[in-house]
Amino acid sequence: MGQRAALYCRVSTADQSCARQERDLLAFAARADYQVVGVFKGRSYRLIGRELGLSKNTVTDIVKRHRDVAEANE
């Protein structure tokens, strides 16, 4: 194997697909002889907010509060 790579799939609009991005990135990595060491998937706060009827800033605040509580409990 060649170099190592971590793949990150992220969607920001409803017409995008993490599954399609992952498939395309895995194919690219195989052609480039990369060793895939991890696949990470994420969604934009804007898309999450739209799906939940919240603003991006509200989603950001919720995530920050959750991280702060998790760190305090460590």
Side-chain angles (χ1 to χ4, degrees), residues 33-44:
D33 197 32
Y34 290 150
Q35 176 191 5
V36 176
V37 297
V39 177
F40 302 91
K41 299 176 184 179
R43 301 177 69 134
S44 74

Side-chain angles (χ1 to χ4, degrees), residues 2-67:
Q3 295 184 25
R4 297 175 355 147
L7 306 181
Y8 177 65
C9 306
R10 179 181 173 275
V11 297
S12 58
T13 61
D15 64 327
Q16 295 177 329
S17 162
C18 270
R20 185 176 61 231
Q21 287 180 7
E22 181 178 358
R23 183 191 67 231
D24 293 347
L25 289 170
L26 286 168
F28 175 83
R31 287 191 307 273
D33 197 32
Y34 290 150
Q35 176 191 5
V36 176
V37 297
V39 177
F40 302 91
K41 299 176 184 179
R43 301 177 69 134
S44 74
Y45 291 168
R46 185 179 313 272
L47 181 59
I48 293 167
R50 186 176 305 135
E51 290 175 357
L52 297 175
L54 303 170
S55 74
K56 179 187 87 160
N57 291 338
T58 300
V59 175
T60 301
D61 291 343
I62 292 168
V63 170
K64 183 182 181 318
R65 284 195 308 265
H66 175 74
R67 286 183 183 154

